[in-house]
Structures are given as C-alpha cells and as structure tokens.
Amino acid sequence: MVASIATSAFFPVPSSSSAASLKNSKTIGEGSESLNVRRIAAAKPASSSSAMQVKANAQAVPKINGSNVCLKPETLKHDEDTPSSVPRTFYNQLPDWSVLLAAITTIFLAAEKQWTLIDWKPRRQDILADAFGLGKFVQDGLAFRQNFSIRSYEIGADRTASIETLMNHLQETALNHVRIAGLMDDGFGSTPEMSKRNLIWVVAKMHVFVEKYPAWGDVVQVDTWVSPSGKNGMRRDWHVIDCQTGESIVKATSVWVMMNKNTRKLAKMPDEVRSEIGPYFIERAAVVDEDSRKLPKLDHNTAQHVRKSLTPRWGDLDVNQHVNNVKYIGWILESAPTSILESHELAGMTLEYRRECRRDSVLQSLTSVSTECSDGLQGTAMECVHLLQLENGDEIIRGRTKWRPKRTGLQQHGALATAST
C-alpha cells in the first residue's frame, strides 16, 4: 500500500471524471430552444447566403428565455473540447527530479540515523557499557559483573569514595546477582525455597582489603561470585577494579548463613535451597586471605575510646527489619580517634557479626588502638580493635581495622599527572 501511494504521488493518473467531461457535449438550455455549440462549430456553409446567415447568427448575442447568453469564441471552445494533439509518454509524466532527489536523500538520512542508534558503541573506555546498571553474567554465567560511577554525594572530605560507598556497591552487586539469576523472591536476597521456609541470609564474617579509593567521576567494575562454605554456609567474594586503568581497588570475601525470619535463630540449609543455588557455586579459593587471628573482646576497662547512645534511624533498616550490615561499619568508626581519621586511611578490616540490631536498639562503640597516633608516628601503619555492643553488653560485632598513612597532596598530584600521561 505504501509503495502504491508513493508511486501515485510521482505518477498521477487521469481521473475518470475529467475524461468523461471531454465526451460530454456543451449544451445550453433545454428542449427546442437549446443551442448546441458543437453543432454550430461543426456546421459547413452550403452557399454564400447561408454563410452570411451563419455569420450573422454568430455575431448576434443569443437569448434564452429572454436572457442574454455569453458564448466563448469558437476557437476557444474547439481547443477546450478537442483533446491535446501531443501524445502522452513516460517522459512527459516523470516528476520533478529535484523533488525526487530530495525525498531519496531524506529517506537515506533517516535510515542512517536509525542505524547509528542501533549500532551505538561507546568511544571512551570510561563510558558504561551497562548503561542502565543492570549488570551481566560473565565467566560462563558463574560470575556477575556490574559497573558503578562514583557520585558527588558518595565522596568524603578526601574527595574519594568512602568505605560505606564501596560496601554498598558490594551489597548491590550481590543482590542483583540473585535477582538477574531469577532466584530472588520476596525477601532480601532470599530464593523461592527460602521464602517458603521463612529463611533469610545473614552475614557471619567479612574480610575487606582496600588497595585504593576511587575519586569522584571514576567508574568501577565489581565482579562477584559464590562458593560453598561448610555444610550450611555460602561464601561470596568480590573484586573491584578501575574501569579506566584496570587497577585493583577492593578485594573482599564473606561468609553467609541462614536465619529463620520468625524465630530469629540460625537454621540449616535445606536440600531444596542447596539445589537452587548449587549450580552457581564456583570451586575456587577466597579472593582474600582471611585473617585467622582471634578477635579480642573489649570492655570499658580495655577500650581507649568509647562512643555511647548510638541508635538506628528508620532509614538504617532493610526489608528484613534489621539494621543493614553496612551501617555497622559507620558505627565502628564513630569511636575511632580523629587523629587517625585525619592522617590515615582505612586499608582493611575484619568483621565478625554476632547478633542482629533492631530498630529499638541502643548501642555503644568501643575502640582500642594498638599503636597510638601522635605527631611523630604519622608515617607508620596502625591497627585498631573494635566492639559494637548493646547497652546491656550483648555483642553485635567484633572487628579489627588496619590503617595506612594518607598520600600527601604532592603524591596525589604526581599520581594524577602519571595517569594523565
């Protein structure tokens, strides 16, 4: 239909009404008083007298019912009634070539634009291939990858991403891994079989090593995968790299167990759940060597720094109605001395989760520094021991953090200059 319409636009076909009008005779009036113009034009004089009579009749203005009728000259009527003597050919019916050329050019330009949008590829390495942040499977579907751009509201006073930002990226990638795999049900990362049994995932232990902190505008790539951990646990690892330079940023490993959502007690992994997540397990060593040292317990007598009356806000809760595990890191650092935060950056941490924290909990953060940070010791690495507990003394988290001296402004400028060259 579209082709026929386009053809008729450039090659018009004479209408039947116009052809029929050429065949009709031009008759004025009706009955015996009608004047047939065609008959007058076709009449031939028989004699001179009859010729003079015809000439006189032609010069006189005819009247019909007492009204004057204006007739066109014979030659004009003859030209109108007689079809054109020029034959119609294919060339005579061709359209204006400039209009045809403009139409073809417009069609090709529109097609080229559509093809460009379909076949778009990023011309810069730091542009996200995953434009919508949905992530994708890699390594034959056994690992999951997602990219993140560091936002302006995710950086701290050092103009780099905070540790909470990086931990949120790890958690987001893990949840999207479960969701894209089609295993997420109504819980926070729970599979359908887990939801049937009111089971949820809780983190038992996590070890994180930060090699460098990305800056505002950097794009990081997060890879994550899962492995079995004992009979009832699952290990999840992450590796974060800089998309532009390929440098390693974060390596982290964690152990997760199941808890009954109603009784809030740990539970064994059912065989049905194992069959769901088992096909995604990768048999490989942890991406980070775990710190096997035992974490000591602090109290008010051994802790050097204490921060009391910490309460969760409504926004700190997740869909499982307990405090998100990333929030615990911020509370641990609440009791870290300001002198360390100003001169050092967090290089690694080991966390052991003992108990969940609910909305009405009131907590205390305790910290003990193994090496005091003074003006003469700002160039040395440091280590701290932490405890996050309820007011009644029940432990929430035990932890250990490692700190390294911050790079000076000159070192940062040199690193930026090296990256630019």
Side-chain angles (χ1 to χ4, degrees):
M1 181 180 290
V2 177
S4 62
I5 295 175
T7 306
S8 63
F10 291 107
F11 302 99
V13 180
S15 62
S16 59
S17 60
S18 61
S21 63
L22 293 176
K23 297 179 181 180
N24 296 333
S25 61
K26 304 295 187 295
T27 303
I28 306 176
E30 296 178 355
S32 61
E33 297 180 359
S34 64
L35 179 63
N36 194 316
V37 180
R38 181 180 294 276
R39 187 177 303 170
I40 294 176
K44 294 183 179 180
S47 61
S48 60
S49 60
S50 61
M52 294 178 59
Q53 184 65 28
V54 171
K55 183 177 181 181
N57 291 338
Q59 292 178 355
V61 178
K63 293 184 178 181
I64 299 177
N65 297 331
S67 301
N68 295 335
V69 178
C70 181
L71 297 177
K72 294 183 180 180
E74 281 185 30
T75 57
L76 295 179
K77 292 298 294 179
H78 181 73
D79 292 340
E80 291 179 359
D81 295 341
T82 304
S84 176
S85 60
V86 180
R88 290 192 175 186
T89 63
F90 177 77
Y91 180 79
N92 291 339
Q93 298 186 39
L94 287 177
D96 188 355
W97 287 104
S98 61
V99 176
L100 182 60
L101 182 61
I104 295 175
T105 304
T106 303
I107 293 174
F108 273 99
L109 289 177
E112 182 181 6
K113 182 178 181 180
Q114 292 296 328
W115 180 255
T116 302
L117 292 176
I118 295 175
D119 195 45
W120 178 86
K121 294 181 180 179
R123 293 178 175 82
R124 289 173 48 193
Q125 295 181 356
D126 59 343
I127 295 180
L128 292 181
D130 176 22
F132 299 98
L134 300 179
K136 61 181 180 180
F137 282 96
V138 294
Q139 300 180 17
D140 298 329
L142 297 179
F144 185 77
R145 175 174 297 169
Q146 188 171 0
N147 294 342
F148 296 92
S149 178
I150 305 302
R151 313 294 183 181
S152 60
Y153 53 82
E154 295 176 328
I155 62 175
D158 298 327
R159 300 185 180 182
T160 57
S162 63
I163 185 62
E164 289 91 343
T165 295
L166 298 179
M167 297 300 294
N168 281 325
H169 290 168
L170 303 186
Q171 180 173 268
E172 181 70 12
T173 307
L175 291 174
N176 285 333
H177 183 192
V178 179
R179 183 171 65 90
I180 300 300
L183 297 177
M184 180 175 289
D185 202 65
D186 59 348
F188 203 46
S190 299
T191 66
E193 292 295 334
M194 292 176 61
S195 298
K196 292 178 182 179
R197 296 162 174 80
N198 295 320
L199 298 176
I200 59 176
W201 288 111
V202 291
V203 58
K205 189 174 183 179
M206 179 174 291
H207 183 64
V208 182
F209 177 67
V210 184
E211 300 185 45
K212 60 171 290 188
Y213 286 87
W216 174 31
D218 289 348
V219 179
V220 298
Q221 172 185 296
V222 184
D223 288 359
T224 184
W225 59 92
V226 291
S227 304
S229 178
K231 294 182 179 181
N232 299 309
M234 178 185 71
R235 192 185 77 240
R236 177 175 288 278
D237 293 352
W238 295 271
H239 188 201
V240 184
I241 65 172
D242 190 311
C243 284
Q244 186 173 5
T245 63
E247 296 178 342
S248 180
I249 295 179
V250 176
K251 293 181 179 180
T253 184
S254 60
V255 176
W256 297 73
V257 293
M258 293 186 179
M259 184 179 72
N260 189 287
K261 186 167 56 175
N262 297 330
T263 63
R264 317 308 289 189
K265 294 181 179 181
L266 298 182
K268 294 182 179 181
M269 181 184 296
D271 294 336
E272 293 80 1
V273 176
R274 190 181 303 276
S275 63
E276 281 184 322
I277 63 178
Y280 296 92
F281 283 164
I282 300 178
E283 294 290 344
R284 65 170 61 169
V287 69
V288 181
D289 294 333
E290 298 184 12
D291 190 348
S292 59
R293 293 179 297 170
K294 184 179 179 179
L295 292 173
K297 180 181 179 180
L298 295 179
D299 54 32
H300 289 277
N301 296 325
T302 58
Q304 301 167 345
H305 307 274
V306 179
R307 181 71 182 272
K308 299 181 180 181
S309 302
L310 298 175
T311 57
R313 300 173 300 175
W314 177 259
D316 298 330
L317 304 179
D318 58 24
V319 297
N320 290 326
Q321 298 301 313
H322 60 203
V323 175
N324 188 285
N325 63 83
V326 177
K327 182 62 181 178
Y328 295 151
I329 300 174
W331 283 335
I332 286 176
L333 300 181
E334 283 288 335
S335 58
T338 306
S339 57
I340 295 181
L341 300 177
E342 292 177 347
S343 59
H344 290 66
E345 64 181 8
L346 184 63
M349 60 181 176
T350 300
L351 303 175
E352 291 183 358
Y353 294 82
R354 302 298 181 92
R355 184 178 283 100
E356 64 176 339
C357 178
R358 306 299 292 273
R359 183 179 63 180
D360 299 331
S361 302
V362 181
L363 300 94
Q364 297 177 348
S365 177
L366 292 76
T367 297
S368 177
V369 182
S370 59
T371 305
E372 285 290 350
C373 180
S374 61
D375 294 340
L377 297 175
Q378 290 186 358
T380 62
M382 307 189 67
E383 189 174 275
C384 299
V385 178
H386 307 272
L387 174 64
L388 189 65
Q389 65 179 11
L390 299 176
E391 283 190 329
N392 60 6
D394 293 340
E395 296 184 6
I396 302 295
I397 290 181
R398 288 187 186 186
R400 179 186 289 112
T401 57
K402 296 181 180 180
W403 304 78
R404 59 173 172 256
K406 291 182 179 179
R407 291 182 299 175
T408 62
L410 181 61
Q411 290 174 330
Q412 293 178 354
H413 177 75
L416 291 175
T418 303
S420 62
T421 55

